[in-house]
Amino acid sequence: SFFLGRVEKLNPKLNAFIAMNDKALEEAKKVDERISKGEAVGPLAGVSFGIKDLLCTRNLRTTAASKILSNFVPPYDATVVARLKSAGAIVLGKLNLDEFAMGSSNETSFFGKCYNPWNTDYVPGGSSGGSAAAQSARLTMGTIGTDTGGSIRQPANFCGIVGIKPTYGRVSRYGIVAYASSLDQAGPMVSSVADAALALEVISGHDEKDSTTSTQKVPEFSKSLTTNVKGMKIGIVKEYQSGEIHPDIAKTTERAIEELKKAGAEIVEVSIPLTQFAVPMYYLIAASEASSNLARYDGVKYGYRSDFQDLSSLSLEDFYSQTRAEGFGKEVKRRIMLGTYCLSSGYYDAYYNKACQVRRLLREQYIETFKNCDALLSPVTTSPAFKVGERSSDPLKMYLNDIFTTATNLAGLPGLSVPYGMSSEGMPIGVQLTGAHFQEQKILNIAAALE
Ligand code: GLN
């Protein structure tokens, strides 16, 4: 009830939660009763979680922040949600996001913008802006976000919390509204590295409902967590040092490097040349997959359908197009068009296939790099949180915001953002750690050393 009270007081200003679970208190009481009876409860017993509204929650509306799903109540839980619940967690409500997780500022939601609790003139980042804002304003004990090209790490960075995107295949995508299936991963957005380790442990692992999940054993991240980084080799990506980086961000990263050196880590410069092309590669692949994934929203089986007066004189094509024209927002339409173009005959080889080929080479460059170092340290973004409205009319500028985060998803690597500084405007700044495949423990430990 403490968190429900905070939601009531602060959510009208932040618009982080777009739906509440009205059974949350009842469910929490049940956990209390089980505890008092001495029954076994999970590691997250009674812990409240806000869930990005991209993950299906049984009997609780799931919208992807889109009009087209605004009436969708799933009959099942996403695996991530089911695992949280069996660990004893309580779903507090559903969190705002950019429509279909497409965006970097949480300004494209059908349910209105979400605001940064540090200063409501600023965006919370995106697409998991609601998760970051709710966590940072202490509206809940934990949240879940998803990350296709930075959507966990970037908002965590803008709101001063910890966010980890696991290795592709570590966490099941079953029941998560698909954006770009070869890039999407869900992960915790919480207040400390220890919380991230525990929550990640709970949601990870093979799932027979998602064939892309790995069968690798899930390590006990929370038990193995240490701040000892002595002897670890941490790489600084040469290509990330050129280009425009806000001086406060550069200073924060420098400070982190110094602290890790003092703690006994070795800092090495590494080169991953193809990271330079991460943004164009990402936007081609993500838009292509999105155009295909979003083809299912046709107004027939579920979701929004245009209010047709007379179906008898309507062609099927008009039925689809009117429903989709009304149901999707501008940014989503832009991406569907971009993706459809990339996948169309004549352009497929030049765009989509080319991007996939370069993506494989990028992955190889990372694998080579990790033969010589344990993790990479970099900024999360080139600048701290920007103001609401500042970039919304310039999609290219918005896309370029993802310059340090997208390569991680393209290569399927784990990535983490941990708060480490403050901008001169008083907004939080984090640093990013990227690990080799399935080496979440290493980046959690380095983050713990910086915390
Ligand atoms: N900002 C990126 C995009 O708009 C990333 C989004 C995400 O990770 N879901 O696609």
Side-chain angles (χ1 to χ4, degrees):
S1 70
F2 170 78
F3 291 110
L4 287 172
R6 284 188 69 77
V7 173
E8 199 174 319
K9 198 167 118 201
L10 296 168
N11 201 54
K13 280 198 202 102
L14 300 174
N15 200 25
F17 276 98
I18 53 182
M20 299 310 289
N21 171 18
D22 53 19
K23 299 213 173 62
L25 260 186
E26 211 178 291
E27 288 166 14
K29 276 187 192 137
K30 273 194 201 137
V31 175
D32 277 347
E33 277 165 27
R34 287 179 54 200
I35 294 175
S36 61
K37 278 191 211 146
E39 282 176 29
V41 283
L44 296 178
V47 175
S48 66
F49 263 81
I51 310 288
K52 184 177 186 177
D53 205 22
L54 198 65
L55 286 87
C56 285
T57 40
R58 194 168 174 261
N59 297 336
L60 185 57
R61 192 180 66 157
T62 299
T63 68
S66 180
K67 181 173 178 183
I68 212 149
L69 279 177
S70 53
N71 59 3
F72 175 57
V73 181
Y76 66 101
D77 278 327
T79 296
V80 168
V81 175
R83 288 188 177 169
L84 284 174
K85 285 184 179 171
S86 26
I90 308 294
V91 171
L92 197 61
K94 305 299 293 286
L95 294 160
N96 210 345
L97 65 148
D98 281 298
E99 186 179 358
F100 281 103
M102 297 174 186
S104 309
S105 63
N106 211 141
E107 291 174 291
T108 69
S109 166
F110 175 64
F111 299 96
K113 295 177 183 133
C114 172
Y115 299 90
N116 194 313
W118 289 76
N119 181 337
T120 50
D121 290 340
Y122 289 79
V123 301
S127 65
S128 314
S131 306
Q135 185 65 33
S136 147
R138 304 290 186 269
L139 303 188
T140 174
M141 285 164 96
T143 72
I144 295 293
T146 67
D147 191 313
T148 305
S151 278
I152 286 178
R153 291 158 288 154
Q154 185 258 26
N157 173 57
F158 281 5
C159 290
I161 62 162
V162 177
I164 180 165
K165 179 206 94 75
T167 307
Y168 185 80
R170 179 69 97 184
V171 173
S172 169
R173 288 178 295 109
Y174 177 75
I176 302 180
V177 175
Y179 164 12
S181 312
S182 77
L183 301 160
D184 299 341
Q185 273 290 291
M189 298 174 68
V190 287
S191 294
S192 69
V193 176
D195 285 0
L198 181 60
L200 181 62
E201 209 173 291
V202 166
I203 64 172
S204 292
H206 180 68
D207 178 12
E208 60 182 23
K209 296 184 186 127
D210 174 1
S211 62
T212 62
T213 48
S214 159
T215 49
Q216 282 209 30
K217 200 172 168 289
V218 180
E220 290 183 297
F221 298 120
S222 55
K223 276 204 192 122
S224 313
L225 194 65
T226 161
T227 55
N228 185 359
V229 294
K230 215 174 177 136
M232 279 187 111
K233 258 192 179 174
I234 299 171
I236 308 295
V237 184
K238 195 172 107 195
E239 289 75 16
Y240 282 175
Q241 278 144 286
S242 51
E244 259 175 51
I245 297 180
H246 190 287
D248 295 341
I249 302 262
K251 262 187 247 153
T252 307
T253 315
E254 266 316 305
R255 266 202 309 115
I257 293 175
E258 285 314 311
E259 180 169 353
L260 290 171
K261 268 193 203 158
K262 269 194 213 130
E266 189 189 335
I267 305 291
V268 292
E269 190 178 76
V270 299
S271 170
I272 312 176
L274 286 174
T275 50
Q276 292 171 75
F277 304 112
V279 170
M281 248 188 278
Y282 168 80
Y283 277 95
L284 285 176
I285 292 171
S288 301
E289 292 188 21
S291 73
S292 162
N293 272 327
L294 270 56
R296 73 189 65 165
Y297 304 105
D298 55 9
V300 178
K301 293 185 270 323
Y302 56 90
Y304 173 80
R305 176 186 299 176
S306 184
D307 185 18
F308 299 112
Q309 298 306 323
D310 179 16
L311 281 174
S312 61
S313 61
L314 194 76
S315 74
L316 186 60
E317 175 123 12
D318 289 340
F319 176 91
Y320 291 154
S321 58
Q322 193 171 319
T323 296
R324 287 167 66 87
E326 290 169 9
F328 290 130
K330 203 166 143 194
E331 182 61 27
V332 174
K333 284 180 189 155
R334 180 180 292 129
R335 303 218 187 176
I336 292 174
M337 285 191 280
L338 192 66
T340 309
Y341 179 80
C342 292
L343 293 179
S344 58
S345 91
Y347 297 104
Y348 188 97
D349 284 333
Y351 295 115
Y352 180 69
N353 247 355
K354 195 46 138 299
C356 291
Q357 284 162 350
V358 186
R359 176 184 186 179
R360 191 176 46 79
L361 296 175
L362 171 74
R363 184 185 155 96
E364 281 166 13
Q365 289 187 350
Y366 268 111
I367 291 173
E368 272 309 302
T369 305
F370 283 119
K371 286 184 183 157
N372 300 315
C373 65
D374 295 292
L376 305 171
L377 177 87
S378 70
V380 189
T381 49
T382 51
S383 66
F386 46 91
K387 288 208 167 129
V388 177
E390 198 182 304
R391 298 190 189 171
S392 44
S393 56
D394 188 348
L396 265 188
K397 197 163 180 199
M398 195 74 99
Y399 296 174
L400 283 172
N401 184 55
D402 303 332
I403 193 148
F404 297 140
T405 49
T406 42
T408 312
N409 303 69
L410 288 165
L413 303 167
L416 176 157
S417 170
V418 61
Y420 199 66
M422 209 57 148
S423 77
S424 51
E425 292 168 42
M427 299 307 286
I429 297 175
V431 291
Q432 173 170 231
L433 293 157
T434 309
H437 293 110
F438 298 103
Q439 299 299 317
E440 285 89 354
Q441 188 74 58
K442 283 188 186 170
I443 55 173
L444 286 164
N445 290 351
I446 302 169
L450 289 173
E451 205 172 37

